[in-house]
Amino acid sequence: MFAKVNVKNILIFSLIFGFLTQNPFAQDKSRPVTEKLEWAQDDNVLEYQIQVRNKASGEVKSFTTQQNFIEISEMPGEFEFRVKAVDILGREGSYTDWQGFRITKALLPSIESFPSEGWQIPETAVDSAVIPVDIKNIQPRSKAQLVNSATGEVLDVELVTRGSGSSLVATGLKVPVLNDGDWKIKVIDPSGKSSESGIIRISNPWPEIRQKRAEEEEKRLAEERRRQEEEQKHLEETQEEERRLAEEERRLEEKRRLAEEQRLAEEERIAEEERKKAEKHARREKASFELCAGYALPVILFDDVIPDYMKNSIWPASVCAKTNLIPLKTSAGNFGFGLSGIYSRMTSKFDYYTIEGNLVTGTFNLIYQPPLFRQKDAANSSQRFTLEFHGGAGLLGLLGFRYIYSTNETSKTMNSLNLCYDGGLSFKAVIIKGLYVEACCDFVYSSLTDMQLGLIIPQVCAGWKF
């Protein structure tokens, strides 16, 4: 069940001997000193076998124990020990290496000073506090206690030290937070020698002070709650008043809204009557006749024949003219018809010949002019700006086309007259009564015998409206 125990692997030694100073007066052979050797407990160990050797004489003493410590009584000097374990089956492990230690002479602790006039627990203390003292003749294993002079209660406390060796002194005692009481300090040397101080009156007023502070804080909080309740009540009353005023304002706003709706409805009714009157007047308005002329710039969009032969698609030597008759004028817009025509002189010069000819279009269009802004005068309502959509059909002629060679000889003249379709829009602005300018853009399409011709024709005109 158990493997052979090697104490080197299972034990963690903690020597509780403490007298490891180099004090020159430590070697006092007047009386033996009791020393405790201690190591970590192992639950699988039945017993421990210990050997202690005097380094000066070489004498070896053996001990057996089931505890994890032994106490030996020897004269001061240098020693070493080793331990091996025996498990519950009786199997022995190996001895550990020798561990050296020193036994020094016993010292009587000297309590030089302590707060004999009383000491108060600091307010900031939570779990512990430090009593200032001056205690000499102590060793690392020296212990301290507080003894209650009234009840005999004993508390183990911690020595707060500085220095080392013969200069090791205690400057304080770390004690738990205590209630009021009279206590004595007891300092015990590892040899058992001890010293006691006089009575220290320890006071701890902070629980009562904290209780009083807590009561005052509770009063303050109660007053704060009362004030907050009053503020909340005032706030609720204010909010209620604001809600009441808001409700009154809402009712007034509703009245104003209804009045505004009635006013707008009345205005709309009046505007509708005015519109009907204007429409009736527009129906009675006489027809208008428009005549204008200007500049055009035909651009061939698609057709490979003319651009291939004449190496050009734009023909700036062009003029245009149009006339419109608008017999029907309503509130939805003006309706009419018109005639439009474009003439372009087409010429292209090459090294040995020149090609020249004429492009002529004439179309009959239907016209729609939607209503835009109106400028009213005392007599009637005439449009200052007009947007026009038009479209129709007509004829497109390629006339007088011929080659003129460098020898002044000419080819036979070629003429072609074909059906075409026109559509576009224009924008007109009246300059003065009757006189207007127009910007127009038309698309003309014609299907010829050997080609499909498409033109975009921007135009700028000036004209007169009769």
Side-chain angles (χ1 to χ4, degrees):
M1 180 180 298
F2 294 97
K4 187 174 181 179
V5 178
N6 188 335
V7 180
K8 292 181 180 179
N9 297 326
I10 66 172
L11 297 179
I12 302 174
F13 294 97
S14 175
L15 291 178
I16 315 297
F17 48 85
F19 303 108
L20 299 180
T21 70
Q22 301 298 324
N23 190 354
F25 57 83
Q27 303 297 329
D28 183 356
K29 309 217 181 262
S30 59
R31 55 179 293 186
V33 177
T34 299
E35 185 69 33
K36 184 178 183 181
L37 304 178
E38 188 175 2
W39 53 90
Q41 179 72 39
D42 189 331
D43 295 337
N44 295 320
V45 173
L46 176 65
E47 64 180 15
Y48 301 95
Q49 295 179 6
I50 305 96
Q51 289 183 341
V52 180
R53 180 168 65 187
N54 189 313
K55 295 178 71 175
S57 64
E59 179 185 3
V60 177
K61 294 182 180 181
S62 298
F63 304 88
T64 299
T65 180
Q66 293 183 346
Q67 306 296 325
N68 64 325
F69 66 90
I70 60 170
E71 290 185 353
I72 61 174
S73 181
E74 298 288 342
M75 298 298 291
E78 298 289 337
F79 295 84
E80 56 187 0
F81 79 103
R82 63 182 182 177
V83 181
K84 73 176 178 179
V86 180
D87 66 17
I88 57 177
L89 298 179
R91 294 176 297 187
E92 296 183 2
S94 301
Y95 273 110
T96 64
D97 293 335
W98 288 102
Q99 305 289 322
F101 64 96
R102 173 182 294 173
I103 296 179
T104 58
K105 70 175 183 177
L107 297 176
L108 178 64
S110 174
I111 302 175
E112 300 291 332
S113 67
F114 63 94
S116 57
E117 295 181 357
W119 179 73
Q120 179 177 288
I121 298 287
E123 182 180 3
T124 56
V126 179
D127 297 320
S128 62
V130 177
I131 301 175
V133 297
D134 183 13
I135 304 174
K136 294 181 172 58
N137 290 345
I138 61 171
Q139 303 186 64
R141 288 184 53 219
S142 296
K143 297 181 179 180
Q145 297 175 339
L146 281 182
V147 181
N148 191 294
S149 59
T151 65
E153 178 185 1
V154 177
L155 295 177
D156 291 327
V157 297
E158 179 183 342
L159 286 168
V160 180
T161 62
R162 62 176 172 81
S164 61
S166 61
S167 62
L168 183 67
V169 296
T171 58
L173 295 178
K174 187 176 181 181
V175 301
V177 175
L178 304 170
N179 294 325
D180 294 350
D182 295 335
W183 300 80
K184 290 182 180 181
I185 299 173
K186 184 177 182 179
V187 184
I188 306 168
D189 185 76
S191 65
K193 291 185 177 183
S194 64
S195 298
E196 277 194 3
S197 70
I199 293 176
I200 305 174
R201 178 169 293 277
I202 296 178
S203 62
N204 186 5
W206 303 115
E208 182 178 349
I209 292 174
R210 293 190 185 100
Q211 177 64 26
K212 185 176 180 181
R213 289 176 179 174
E215 292 173 356
E216 292 176 352
E217 179 66 12
E218 181 62 29
K219 290 180 181 179
R220 187 191 67 78
L221 292 176
E223 179 63 22
E224 180 70 15
R225 286 193 295 271
R226 184 192 62 79
R227 185 183 62 79
Q228 290 177 353
E229 289 173 357
E230 290 180 353
E231 290 179 354
Q232 180 65 25
K233 182 178 179 181
H234 177 70
L235 177 62
E236 291 175 355
E237 291 175 351
T238 302
Q239 291 175 342
E240 181 63 28
E241 179 65 16
E242 290 176 351
R243 282 193 292 269
R244 185 186 63 79
L245 294 175
E247 181 63 22
E248 291 183 0
E249 179 64 23
R250 188 192 64 78
R251 287 197 295 268
L252 291 174
E253 182 64 26
E254 182 67 16
K255 291 181 179 179
R256 287 193 290 267
R257 186 186 64 80
L258 292 175
E260 180 68 12
E261 289 180 354
Q262 292 174 356
R263 184 187 66 80
L264 292 175
E266 180 64 18
E267 289 182 355
E268 186 176 350
R269 184 189 63 80
I270 295 173
E272 180 65 18
E273 291 180 356
E274 291 291 332
R275 186 188 65 78
K276 290 179 179 179
K277 291 179 181 178
E279 185 175 345
K280 185 181 295 185
H281 176 74
R283 285 196 295 268
R284 294 195 301 268
E285 193 173 317
K286 66 180 181 178
S288 61
F289 177 73
E290 300 171 352
L291 179 64
C292 69
Y295 176 74
L297 184 63
V299 178
I300 298 176
L301 291 181
F302 53 87
D303 165 44
D304 294 335
V305 176
I306 294 176
D308 285 348
Y309 277 90
M310 304 189 74
K311 305 303 181 184
N312 197 1
S313 297
I314 303 174
W315 308 101
S318 305
V319 294
C320 62
K322 63 174 65 178
T323 179
N324 295 336
L325 178 63
I326 311 298
L328 180 60
K329 298 182 178 181
T330 69
S331 60
N334 302 333
F335 299 87
F337 53 88
L339 297 172
S340 64
I342 295 173
Y343 169 78
S344 294
R345 179 63 177 171
M346 305 172 72
T347 302
S348 293
K349 293 183 178 181
F350 300 93
D351 291 340
Y352 302 105
Y353 61 90
T354 299
I355 301 176
E356 62 180 17
N358 305 289
L359 170 66
V360 180
T361 66
T363 58
F364 175 81
N365 295 317
L366 298 178
I367 298 170
Y368 170 62
Q369 298 174 345
L372 294 177
F373 306 103
R374 292 185 179 275
Q375 184 183 38
K376 295 182 179 181
D377 54 36
N380 59 8
S381 173
S382 62
Q383 289 183 334
R384 178 73 180 273
F385 301 101
T386 304
L387 180 66
E388 177 183 295
F389 298 92
H390 54 263
L395 296 175
L396 181 146
L398 297 173
L399 307 175
F401 276 84
R402 64 178 181 170
Y403 286 82
I404 302 175
Y405 300 99
S406 58
T407 59
N408 290 325
E409 295 180 352
T410 62
S411 67
K412 181 181 178 180
T413 301
M414 294 175 286
N415 298 295
S416 175
L417 192 63
N418 304 276
L419 181 65
C420 69
Y421 303 95
D422 171 65
L425 61 86
S426 63
F427 182 78
K428 302 176 183 179
V430 176
I431 306 302
I432 59 175
K433 185 175 181 180
L435 178 63
Y436 69 91
V437 293
E438 178 179 358
C440 177
C441 186
D442 285 0
F443 173 75
V444 177
Y445 170 78
S446 179
S447 178
L448 284 70
T449 303
D450 298 323
M451 63 181 180
Q452 306 290 322
L453 178 62
L455 299 167
I456 187 79
I457 308 176
Q459 304 161 55
V460 178
C461 305
W464 192 267
K465 181 184 290 187
F466 298 93

